[in-house]
Amino acid sequence: MNTPITVQYKFNAPAEKIWKALTDKNEMKSWYFTIRDFGLEPGKEFDFYESCDGGEYLHRGRILETILNKKLKHSWAYPELSDAVTTVTWELQPEDDGTLVTLTHENIEGFEGLGENFSRTSFTEGWNSIIGQSLKDYLEK
């Protein structure tokens, strides 16, 4: 079926501030994950770990596309668990007095069979928590 997960939130912050939060590894660790080897060069790979329900999962991404203050697209995979590779796209669009952030996570069906932590419901809840709570709190503090 390959229906992407789409999560949207509007923030009372300029796109430049949100872009910095999404792409500066020193800011990312305050609201997202600690990603020591993150960089914006196309093809650049980065790894990070996330603890969830007693497990710790290696995440691997590769930068696919960047448009300053507008778009960040990267792969998202769990190389220790699956050969599946998904795509996450962050898009920033100025809207009235703020910025609309749209996250699209495509091809998560490849993670079926890895358990409930990798389900559509779990990813949707996770992205809503990360963007709607963590990023919002960070940007609007």
Side-chain angles (χ1 to χ4, degrees):
M1 186 161 102
N2 289 344
T3 303
I5 293 171
T6 302
V7 175
Q8 279 190 325
Y9 285 90
K10 184 179 176 195
F11 295 98
N12 294 320
E16 295 80 10
K17 182 177 181 180
I18 298 170
W19 181 260
K20 190 166 191 228
L22 291 177
T23 61
D24 182 315
K25 59 187 169 187
N26 294 317
E27 290 201 27
M28 292 163 77
K29 66 184 175 187
S30 297
W31 67 273
Y32 191 42
F33 298 103
T34 298
I35 308 177
R36 291 182 178 86
D37 54 351
F38 187 84
L40 287 175
E41 307 81 29
K44 168 79 172 145
E45 281 194 348
F46 57 92
D47 292 341
F48 64 96
Y49 284 90
E50 174 190 19
S51 297
C52 183
D53 295 336
E56 187 170 79
Y57 303 108
L58 170 66
H59 296 60
R60 177 161 295 145
R62 179 188 308 266
I63 300 296
L64 301 173
E65 180 183 1
T66 60
I67 301 172
L68 181 67
N69 299 325
K70 292 185 179 184
K71 184 177 185 181
L72 171 63
K73 184 174 183 177
H74 59 81
S75 64
W76 180 281
Y78 301 97
E80 296 176 336
L81 304 174
S82 171
D83 291 333
V85 178
T86 65
T87 304
V88 173
T89 305
W90 300 81
E91 294 177 284
L92 311 181
Q93 181 176 355
E95 187 174 277
D96 301 325
D97 57 346
T99 304
L100 182 66
V101 174
T102 303
L103 176 130
T104 306
H105 194 163
E106 299 176 87
N107 300 315
I108 65 153
E109 290 78 11
F111 297 143
E112 288 176 356
L114 294 181
E116 183 57 33
N117 288 338
F118 302 91
S119 69
R120 170 175 293 280
T121 299
S122 181
F123 275 108
T124 302
E125 289 172 0
W127 287 123
N128 274 295
S129 176
I130 287 168
I131 299 168
Q133 293 174 0
S134 297
L135 180 59
K136 180 176 177 41
D137 290 349
Y138 180 74
L139 290 171
E140 298 179 359
K141 65 181 176 185

